Amino acid sequence: MLYHRPQLLQHIRDQFVIDWHGVHGANHWARVLHHGQRIAEQRQADLLVVELFAFLHDSCRFDDYKDPLHGERGAEFAHGINGQHFHLDSQQLDNLCYAIRHHSGGEVSTNPTIQSCWDADRLDLGRVGIIPSPKFLSVEASQLIDEAFNWSISS
């Protein structure tokens, strides 16, 4: 088996230090997963990497507001647990860690998997009152801005 979701989520929860139900917690991850799966299918991205990104990208935050090193910590965490709760090959792990490390930097990527991860996270900016800018999204994600924003503010 390549992936043990329940064990991974429990492991994340055991070390998670901010509010599980806060703006960077489990509800956010569920929306990121939903958006990521939709976008990744359209872009033929790696669905496993996109799913793992959803759960791991904010898993090592110390603060819901300013925490500029959370991406770095999250990438190190993901790298360290590969082989325990999921099994990625070296390219998948590189993509996952890069996406986590740089998800807050405002970059765009030509790699469909990395950009799908970033799109999924950015589409949930409505939870903090921000409408995502299409210039930071793929064409596929740009088409979901209104729907994603409405979902973010209603949940």
Side-chain angles (χ1 to χ4, degrees):
M1 175 171 283
L2 293 177
Y3 177 35
H4 305 282
R5 183 190 290 169
Q7 293 95 331
L8 173 63
L9 291 174
Q10 186 60 55
H11 186 69
I12 293 169
R13 189 167 192 169
D14 289 345
Q15 60 85 49
F16 197 65
V17 298
I18 60 175
D19 184 0
W20 185 252
H21 300 288
V23 297
H24 290 103
N27 293 332
H28 166 56
W29 303 348
R31 289 187 300 269
V32 171
L33 175 60
H34 172 80
H35 299 318
Q37 288 172 329
R38 287 180 70 186
I39 296 161
E41 286 177 6
Q42 292 178 40
R43 303 189 81 221
Q44 299 179 338
D46 187 322
L47 288 166
L48 178 57
V49 170
V50 171
E51 181 166 338
L52 292 171
F53 172 85
F55 299 136
L56 292 164
H57 75 285
D58 283 335
S59 66
C60 292
R61 292 188 74 94
F62 292 155
D63 186 306
D64 267 329
Y65 306 100
K66 291 284 187 187
D67 189 353
L69 296 178
H70 78 279
E72 185 65 37
R73 287 190 306 273
E76 289 174 15
F77 179 59
H79 192 275
I81 62 173
N82 186 42
Q84 295 173 27
H85 302 292
F86 55 87
H87 300 276
L88 301 180
D89 66 34
S90 61
Q91 185 61 59
Q92 289 175 304
L93 187 59
D94 286 349
N95 285 341
L96 176 62
C97 291
Y98 188 90
I100 293 170
R101 184 173 284 113
H102 299 285
H103 77 274
S104 296
E107 296 180 42
V108 293
S109 176
T110 57
N111 178 305
T113 298
I114 292 170
Q115 188 61 41
S116 294
C117 293
W118 293 345
D119 286 345
D121 187 38
R122 291 170 183 162
L123 281 173
D124 198 40
L125 286 170
R127 76 193 190 287
V128 292
I130 298 171
I131 297 173
S133 171
K135 74 180 183 178
F136 297 109
L137 300 171
S138 66
V139 171
E140 295 84 358
S142 293
Q143 297 169 358
L144 302 174
I145 291 173
D146 291 338
E147 175 186 332
F149 184 81
N150 290 333
W151 188 25
S152 292
I153 61 174
S154 69
S155 47

